[in-house]
Amino acid sequence: MIYRRLKNSDEKIAAIGLGTWAIGGREGPDTSRDGEYIDTIARAIEMGYHHIDTAEYYAGGHTEELIGEAISLFDRRELFLVSKVWPTHLRERDLHRALDGTLKRLRTDYVDMYLVHWPNPDVPLGETMKAMADEVRAGRTRFIGVSNFDTNLLKKAIAVSTEPIVNNQVLFNIEDRQAMYELLPFCQSEGITLTAYSPLKRNLVSEFTRQALERLAEKYYASPQQIMLAWLLGKEGVIVIPKAEKIDHLRSNIDSKNIVLTPEDMKILDELKGGGLV
Ligand SMILES: NC(=O)c1ccc[n+]([C@@H]2O[C@H](COP(=O)([O-])OP(=O)(O)OC[C@H]3O[C@@H](n4cnc5c(N)ncnc54)[C@H](OP(=O)(O)O)[C@@H]3O)[C@@H](O)[C@H]2O)c1
């Protein structure tokens, strides 16, 4: 596994985590496949996924419940659990309550990293970051971070936070690469890890991109999806959280750690145009 160091600490996070959006429902719970999902999460952990990304929002909390059930079979200290607080819960009291719910559903007394899922301009950032820092001091989260924050907002969050912000989770894949230009260099200079969400673009890349990926996939005896992940992992401080429920997808994604693109191939993909927001 590839690891990234977390700011101001000797702790590290696995650079390939498991995304869990749509596991156990989307906006609301769907319990019809619970057994299957619990088994999938357990198999992912056995395969080497120790970093699991989730949120109170996912399936109205049911995704966290399924993770809680699956991880009860494993040593909690071996896992790195990330959850996120929804933007309607960013007032101080609401945030503490939201984390109460997350911990209960995950059946644990701490998360490893707690993120502000989306900014909410109606709530003072200072109040939210104070509540987040209080949760670090209370031992209910080991690290804090944000998600969907642009560079300016991240700077503001850093300025008002009494605990280090160690992570920003944003949309970043071969086509949606806005984060690459200003945000990523800023995070790198600050020692903040950047988690790329939807790193596979939910399998919706353009034909042009797909062909470029296939050319490289052939060269590296890999799949196009592995090339997408290897490109992100080739960047300092970047973490990926592909979501997969098919076992062969889970295996293929974790194996992308073994693919190291040459600087020339990184450049080809860095400069790829024709389908994304380049
Ligand atoms: N912070 C935020 O606001 C935010 C927003 C969106 C997502 N996220 C997080 O990021 C995670 C990942 O993003 P995402 O779920 O949007 O999309 P994604 O990871 O880009 O794509 C997931 C899709 O790709 C398929 N897939 C996975 N591995 C594959 C492979 N090796 N070959 C072919 N297809 C493969 C999956 O199929 P199967 O499931 O059928 O295997 C699934 O349909 C989420 O699950 C969530 O944890 C965060």
Side-chain angles (χ1 to χ4, degrees), residues 13-273:
I13 180 171
I16 304 175
L18 177 67
T20 62
W21 166 245
I23 290 192
R26 290 176 180 266
E27 277 76 20
D30 171 357
T31 56
S32 61
R33 295 172 63 195
D34 280 7
E36 198 185 317
Y37 282 134
I38 291 162
D39 187 50
T40 302
I41 297 163
R43 287 188 67 182
I45 296 169
E46 282 163 4
M47 214 183 272
Y49 286 90
H50 289 181
H51 161 193
I52 301 175
D53 178 82
T54 191
E56 61 166 335
Y57 181 72
Y58 296 176
H62 191 49
T63 309
E64 289 180 329
E65 286 171 344
L66 294 173
I67 295 168
E69 171 85 35
I71 65 173
S72 64
L73 308 166
F74 295 88
D75 182 350
R76 171 68 185 87
R77 291 162 304 178
E78 297 288 313
L79 301 173
F80 195 102
L81 301 182
V82 180
S83 193
K84 315 182 199 82
V85 54
W86 193 241
T88 50
H89 295 154
L90 299 187
R91 306 284 334 199
E92 192 165 0
R93 200 192 310 164
D94 297 333
L95 190 144
H96 297 312
R97 271 205 211 117
L99 187 52
D100 287 345
T102 282
L103 296 179
K104 198 167 162 212
R105 289 186 292 271
L106 288 172
R107 303 190 198 176
T108 182
D109 51 11
Y110 70 97
V111 288
D112 293 278
M113 191 155 76
Y114 201 42
L115 307 179
V116 176
H117 203 148
W118 286 90
N120 180 346
D122 295 334
V123 179
L125 192 54
E127 177 177 341
T128 302
M129 296 320 295
K130 178 188 176 297
M132 294 287 279
D134 286 346
E135 292 294 10
V136 176
R137 285 188 283 273
R140 302 207 312 164
T141 183
R142 294 169 64 224
F143 297 97
I144 56 171
V146 294
S147 174
N148 297 301
F149 275 40
D150 65 15
T151 312
N152 276 338
L153 202 52
L154 177 57
K155 284 180 183 167
K156 285 184 189 151
I158 293 169
V160 296
S161 183
T162 54
E163 291 289 333
I165 290 172
V166 305
N167 183 265
N168 188 10
Q169 181 177 128
V170 295
L171 176 66
F172 189 13
N173 60 52
I174 196 75
E175 291 188 344
D176 303 308
R177 50 175 63 190
Q178 206 56 45
M180 199 169 104
Y181 302 108
E182 189 190 11
L183 184 62
L184 179 59
F186 175 73
C187 287
Q188 288 168 336
S189 71
E190 289 286 321
I192 294 174
T193 51
L194 188 148
T195 298
Y197 75 66
S198 304
L200 300 171
K201 202 175 178 177
R202 300 185 174 172
N203 270 335
L204 294 172
V205 295
S206 69
E207 183 59 20
F208 175 88
T209 304
R210 193 184 60 74
Q211 285 178 12
L213 290 169
E214 275 180 359
R215 280 193 294 277
L216 283 178
E218 205 171 314
K219 174 174 169 184
Y220 287 88
Y221 303 101
S223 68
Q225 289 81 5
Q226 287 179 318
I227 299 295
M228 289 175 84
L229 297 178
W231 174 68
L232 290 165
L233 292 169
K235 297 181 180 300
E236 180 196 325
V238 174
I239 291 165
V240 297
I241 46 168
K243 176 263 174 181
E245 54 186 75
K246 298 198 177 60
I247 298 302
D248 59 330
H249 288 168
L250 284 168
R251 190 162 289 122
S252 158
N253 296 344
I254 204 161
D255 284 349
S256 62
K257 67 183 185 296
N258 300 322
I259 302 165
V260 180
L261 302 180
T262 64
E264 294 75 29
D265 290 335
M266 285 294 291
K267 193 157 178 282
I268 288 173
L269 293 178
D270 282 347
E271 292 172 358
L272 195 69
K273 292 187 171 56

